[in-house]
Amino acid sequence: MALKLPEARDRAALVSDVHTTVHLDLRSTEEYTVDATVRFSCAEPGASTFLELDGARDVTLDGQPAPYADGRIALDGLAASNEVRVTATLPYVTDGDGMTVTVDPADGERYVCAFTAMDIAHKVIPCFDQPDLKTTFTVSVTGPAHWTVLANGLAISQEREGEDGGARRFSFAPTPPISTYLFFVAAGPWVSETWEEPYEHAESGALPFGWHARASQERELRRDAAELRRITSTCFRWFTEAFDPPYAFDDYQQVFTPGLNWGAMEFPGCVAFRDQYLVQGAPTALQRQWLANTIAHEMAHMWFGDLVTMEWWQDTWLNESFADYMGYEVAALAAGYDDAWTTAALTRKPTGYRADLRRSTHRIAEDAEQLIDADTAFANFDMITYAKGNAVLRQLGTWLGEDFLAGVNRHLRSHAFGNATLADFLDALDAETDRDVRGWAEKWLRTTGFDTIEVTRRDWVPVLTRHGSRPHRFTVSAYDDHLRLVETRTVDLDDEPLVLEGLAGRVVVPNAGDETFVALRLDDHSWEVVTRHLSAMESSLTRAVLWWAVIDRVESHGSSLADLSALLGRHLRVERDPVIFESVLAAALRIARLYAAPEDLPAFFRSVEEVCHAALAEDEPALEPAALRALAGTTRDRDLLVRWLHGTALDQEVRWIAVRRLAELGDPSFIAAEEERDRSVSGHLAALAAHAAVPTPEAKAEAWARLMGGGLGNHELTAAAAGFWGWEQADLVAPYLDRYLVEGLALATASGQAMSQIIGRAFPYLPMTGAARQQLRDRLAEVLDGEVPTVLARTWNDALDDLDRALTGR
Ligand SMILES: [Zn+2]
């Protein structure tokens, strides 16, 4: 039974001073056992409360069969101070929600990771599973002797166990008080890169730091170790200098885990990353930067989220928006990824704009009562929370200047090891600035949608007008008719239009530094010069802002896919910034999937091919990984792909894209050999996608049975679905569009939150005729009128909006 807000409030009033000791036995491959002791105080002796524990067997409470029903263990007749001991047996899972087991296909080794997050910790251990009942954790784990175990606390001992010494008991020091959703254990035969990181607040003057990966990823871990360490250390120095409260935990471990549903998760002292972050081949510019961003993002959470935590899920946005903002800011300022905000302009912010146009949009900061339970709150882990929240905090930082960081520090100091709300955050900012932050918050955080800034002319003098309700501070840049920079100003724009004196006749671009979250409408003259000279624009950040304006125009039917192809041919063809090159290509491919009819594809693919060939001909190493991937995934030149596969120069990821593309075009003969060659987890997933792409009715039927059979893990289902909806296969997969809605609904209904979202995201986005798209849209709307689980309904409603926008531009 999902915990409801009123229950959480009652329990928080009753329970305090919680300390938890947990022993996990992970030796069995069938199930695991937990033995937990929870000590806590009770404000009202004689009262009752409950621990949550989901899906357990053989549950005992203080040695007796426990009063256990609906995932709750009743605790009655409480004293002022209490100690209860719970033992239980629980299943492993493969959907990433809870004690996730993965067997590595490369070597048969088993990995077990306790992936908790909002409302999941009680699938792993008995606990008071709400963020404002923080507990210390003292953890020990028994596992096979050749394993290593990572957890929130500092590792303090390993002892042989069992008659033959075939097992080992790993013990960890107690953690400071943390929320239950941050509990973490990762066990398996990890390979490691460790070091002592200098830190003045540590007793010994240094803290243990480490990176860890599956044994079969050892080559990649060693290859990237120096860069991983460099980013970690530079970010750590930046945060410990910028933030007042010292780093709160005893060590900092980072582990590439298999089966994680998130990109990464900020477990205190031990961050989990998706193992896909450790790429097999040469990483693209975006992959490299995304890793740096994520390292900084998760480290920001050590303060924002882990040290100071929301009271209830409505303030999750503050954790995520802040960490997302810090991820880009610190990657740029500290880790050497100067173009992080250029990437954000083209890959992160667009997801925020799109999310804000959907019916599911919501205020960044919701009322607690809106998020009555965790299922509802889970759906809000969306791009309003991450991307829009990030952009809005960036605008707040621009608007407040140095007072912003001062306010953040006041907030962190005031609530360390505790919980805080939006009101607390605003109090802290208010104490540091003269500006009206509460009024600002009402307009920016408590109102949905975004403003438009329009450029008009009065006698050739540019005038900026805001359509909307929010105050903005941003740079506006002026250019000559060849898009050469003439002048840049910082301006404030509110209710009154702003006349840009002295810039008569100039091309002007508001928000040239991308400081605010806003749609741009340039005047005809500026737009004409921009489309003619875009690639000549010197600032890569402003170039990115304008490329986004181009893409947004196509998405809202202001121009066509053919117009976009023409701009790719003129400007992307000569683009040498790897981040812009890769981001614009990805955006164009996304538009083609969502908007194109089958007959549009040949011309569109030709333009992509030309752009990629031009980049490869430049012999520009930074462009090559992205150009190879895009080319391999879209070319119709089978001979080229076969030549590539017979050579040895391609990295493993491009090889798999080529194998899948050949399969998609009707030649599956390369799959088996590639599976033989690459037995890794990523190879296994790529093979699933390639098999699902084969364009015969038999292959599709087989792939479909696998997709909907209930036997696939989370990442397997994503991979197989990606292969199934092939670029040119609209006719072939037509019978499966309806089956996806019916059988996907049934599968999601029988699964949990995580799987529901994965099924929803496996939506058939592929080029099809307008009539087919309309039919899919209507059928989806019909299904959504019936009973659909919360998380799937949210994902599908977003798909409905995407289809509507593709059909009408709105
Ligand atoms: Zn985060």
Side-chain angles (χ1 to χ4, degrees):
M1 197 179 351
L3 187 70
K4 296 262 193 297
L5 174 60
E7 295 176 311
R9 285 186 170 154
D10 288 349
R11 193 164 61 177
L14 197 65
V15 170
S16 62
D17 197 24
V18 188
H19 301 275
T20 309
T21 304
V22 179
H23 178 71
L24 298 167
D25 189 332
L26 305 179
R27 279 176 294 184
S28 161
T29 56
E30 303 299 316
E31 59 196 10
Y32 71 98
T33 61
V34 54
D35 181 345
T37 302
V38 185
R39 286 184 288 124
F40 60 96
S41 301
C42 170
E44 242 181 81
S48 302
T49 190
F50 55 92
L51 287 162
E52 291 116 297
L53 180 63
D54 204 21
R57 291 193 296 107
D58 308 328
V59 185
T60 71
L61 177 63
D62 297 324
Q64 303 298 316
Y68 175 64
D70 290 331
R72 294 178 175 189
I73 301 166
L75 305 176
D76 293 323
L78 296 174
S81 59
N82 302 272
E83 178 173 318
V84 296
R85 182 172 176 195
V86 175
T87 65
T89 303
L90 290 106
Y92 296 111
V93 299
T94 57
D95 68 357
D97 270 5
M99 195 65 94
T100 302
V101 65
T102 309
V103 175
D104 190 329
D107 54 15
E109 291 287 0
R110 186 166 65 101
Y111 294 85
V112 180
C113 298
F115 294 134
T116 63
M118 180 173 69
D119 207 39
I120 297 177
H122 63 272
K123 293 183 180 177
V124 177
I125 50 167
C127 55
F128 299 121
D129 202 2
Q130 62 187 76
D132 57 346
L133 279 177
K134 290 193 173 185
T135 173
T136 62
F137 280 109
T138 307
V139 174
S140 57
V141 175
T142 300
H146 73 293
W147 281 11
T148 44
V149 178
L150 304 159
N152 301 109
L154 182 68
I156 47 175
S157 69
Q158 298 183 16
E159 283 157 30
R160 289 272 179 184
E161 241 185 44
E163 284 159 21
D164 54 355
R168 209 185 279 270
R169 188 187 181 100
F170 303 84
S171 301
F172 298 85
T175 66
I178 58 175
S179 297
T180 49
Y181 79 93
L182 296 168
F183 174 83
F184 184 50
V185 164
W190 307 111
V191 289
S192 302
E193 288 279 343
T194 62
W195 72 96
E196 293 289 309
E197 178 71 24
Y199 185 46
E200 55 173 343
H201 291 284
E203 252 172 55
S204 67
L207 293 178
F209 272 44
W211 277 100
H212 313 269
R214 284 183 283 109
S216 64
Q217 285 188 305
E218 176 162 12
R219 191 182 66 83
E220 289 82 5
L221 182 69
R222 305 286 181 231
R223 178 196 67 195
D224 294 349
E227 176 68 352
L228 291 168
R229 177 174 172 171
R230 186 190 68 76
I231 299 171
T232 304
S233 295
T234 51
C235 290
F236 188 71
R237 279 199 292 278
W238 193 92
F239 282 118
T240 50
E241 277 164 26
F243 291 157
D244 290 349
Y247 177 69
F249 308 100
D250 292 338
D251 64 341
Y252 197 68
Q253 310 301 331
Q254 297 172 94
V255 51
F256 292 106
T257 51
L260 182 64
N261 281 320
W262 308 91
M265 180 69 200
E266 67 267 24
F267 302 114
C270 190
V271 175
F273 292 75
R274 269 187 186 228
D275 52 0
Q276 286 111 321
Y277 272 95
L278 198 52
V279 296
Q280 271 186 314
T284 68
L286 284 184
Q287 284 174 324
R288 282 161 43 82
Q289 200 172 83
W290 187 235
L291 179 60
N293 285 348
T294 308
I295 291 171
H297 175 122
E298 304 307 327
M299 204 182 280
H301 275 312
M302 295 301 126
W303 285 264
F304 240 93
D306 295 0
L307 179 66
V308 179
T309 312
M310 63 272 176
E311 236 169 61
W312 183 247
W313 308 116
Q314 89 280 2
D315 278 325
T316 298
W317 76 270
L318 191 51
N319 284 0
E320 292 309 339
S321 304
F322 187 82
D324 217 63
Y325 169 54
M326 280 291 147
Y328 287 92
E329 183 77 352
V330 177
L333 291 177
Y337 289 84
D338 303 350
D339 49 0
W341 288 112
T342 304
T343 308
L346 274 167
T347 61
R348 198 58 161 175
K349 279 182 88 174
T351 64
Y353 292 120
R354 291 186 194 116
D356 220 1
L357 291 170
R358 291 182 177 135
R359 78 197 66 196
S360 63
T361 190
H362 51 89
R363 300 182 294 193
I364 294 175
E366 277 294 359
D367 292 324
E369 286 69 17
Q370 291 287 321
L371 302 181
I372 184 73
D373 61 24
D375 267 2
T376 317
F378 181 79
N380 272 14
F381 273 102
D382 59 8
M383 285 304 139
I384 296 295
T385 294
Y386 284 84
K388 183 182 178 186
N390 166 350
V392 163
L393 287 184
R394 183 159 194 246
Q395 169 61 197
L396 180 62
T398 307
W399 196 68
L400 290 182
E402 288 174 357
D403 296 342
F404 178 69
L405 189 59
V408 165
N409 269 320
R410 179 181 284 269
H411 181 72
L412 292 174
R413 285 195 311 270
S414 309
H415 304 284
F417 298 109
N419 299 82
T421 64
L422 171 61
D424 296 322
F425 183 60
L426 295 177
D427 285 347
L429 292 175
D430 186 56
E432 299 289 344
T433 179
D434 296 335
R435 300 201 104 168
D436 174 19
V437 285
R438 290 195 181 83
W440 181 94
E442 206 48 48
K443 287 173 175 167
W444 275 102
L445 303 175
R446 308 271 299 160
T447 313
T448 61
F450 51 90
D451 299 346
T452 298
I453 295 177
E454 185 181 14
V455 183
T456 54
R457 302 273 167 177
R458 277 184 210 160
D459 296 331
W460 279 100
V461 177
V463 181
L464 305 186
T465 305
R466 181 208 61 190
H467 302 281
S469 58
R470 299 158 179 85
H472 299 265
R473 172 172 287 188
F474 53 84
T475 53
V476 52
S477 292
Y479 305 88
D480 71 10
D481 283 357
H482 290 88
L483 227 47
R484 285 179 296 230
L485 183 68
V486 175
E487 193 187 321
T488 288
R489 302 177 183 177
T490 300
V491 299
D492 283 293
L493 183 62
D494 211 318
D495 296 336
E496 289 302 309
L498 188 68
V499 181
L500 297 173
E501 301 289 358
L503 296 179
R506 295 303 188 191
V507 171
V508 291
V509 179
N511 201 28
D514 209 20
E515 298 94 345
T516 191
F517 189 75
V518 74
L520 288 187
R521 208 182 304 151
L522 300 189
D523 60 295
D524 290 345
H525 173 64
S526 297
W527 186 253
E528 195 267 328
V529 173
V530 162
T531 51
R532 196 142 36 91
H533 296 291
L534 178 53
S535 42
M537 159 75 67
E538 197 185 337
S539 156
S540 60
L541 179 54
T542 311
R543 217 156 67 241
V545 168
L546 291 171
W547 266 115
W548 164 242
V550 166
I551 291 157
D552 186 42
R553 251 187 204 227
V554 185
E555 291 186 2
S556 53
H557 288 208
S559 53
S560 67
L561 186 62
D563 297 335
L564 178 62
S565 293
L567 288 176
L568 297 179
R570 194 188 303 167
H571 297 301
L572 199 64
R573 210 188 151 90
V574 292
E575 179 62 59
R576 292 299 164 258
D577 182 306
V579 155
I580 295 182
F581 178 80
E582 187 178 352
S583 305
V584 172
L585 263 184
L589 290 169
R590 177 185 181 278
I591 288 177
R593 279 226 166 246
L594 267 73
Y595 287 65
E599 65 265 26
D600 301 331
L601 271 188
F604 172 72
F605 278 168
R606 261 198 310 281
S607 72
V608 170
E609 247 178 309
E610 279 170 25
V611 165
C612 292
H613 278 303
L616 293 172
E618 278 293 307
D619 195 23
E620 177 56 70
L623 299 178
E624 198 178 285
L628 284 173
R629 280 162 176 73
L631 189 55
T634 56
T635 184
R636 289 167 184 241
D637 185 349
R638 293 189 202 192
D639 294 343
L640 173 76
L641 295 174
V642 170
R643 261 200 323 279
W644 279 3
L645 288 170
H646 283 141
T648 53
L650 282 192
D651 74 48
Q652 188 58 56
E653 284 187 33
V654 186
R655 290 187 65 88
W656 270 118
I657 298 170
V659 168
R660 170 169 149 192
R661 181 62 178 156
L662 278 169
E664 192 172 52
L665 293 171
D667 177 4
S669 66
F670 289 83
I671 303 176
E674 211 59 28
E675 277 183 288
E676 193 61 37
R677 178 190 170 105
D678 176 17
R679 295 176 169 278
S680 67
V681 171
S682 50
H684 166 67
L685 296 176
L688 273 175
H691 282 297
V694 177
T696 62
E698 299 72 31
K700 289 294 174 193
E702 199 180 306
W704 189 256
R706 202 177 297 157
L707 261 173
M708 292 296 153
L712 294 182
N714 50 354
H715 295 179
E716 290 174 324
L717 199 146
T718 300
F724 192 86
W725 311 116
W727 273 114
E728 297 96 341
Q729 298 176 356
D731 288 342
L732 186 63
V733 302
Y736 292 97
L737 299 180
D738 196 61
R739 291 184 64 181
Y740 162 75
L741 296 175
V742 175
E743 295 170 38
L745 173 59
L747 184 56
T749 307
S751 318
Q753 259 178 8
M755 221 44 177
S756 282
Q757 189 167 64
I758 284 157
I759 292 162
R761 287 180 177 170
F763 198 83
Y765 291 117
L766 73 159
M768 59 180 85
T769 63
R773 197 167 273 128
Q774 184 69 48
Q775 200 182 351
L776 175 62
R777 183 247 170 250
D778 293 344
R779 197 49 197 117
L780 174 60
E782 214 175 283
V783 172
L784 279 165
D785 272 342
E787 279 283 302
V788 181
T790 308
V791 173
L792 181 66
R794 167 59 197 275
T795 316
W796 273 358
N797 269 307
D798 289 352
L800 188 63
D801 287 326
D802 288 346
L803 290 171
D804 277 338
R805 194 143 189 250
L807 286 161
T808 68
R810 284 191 306 276

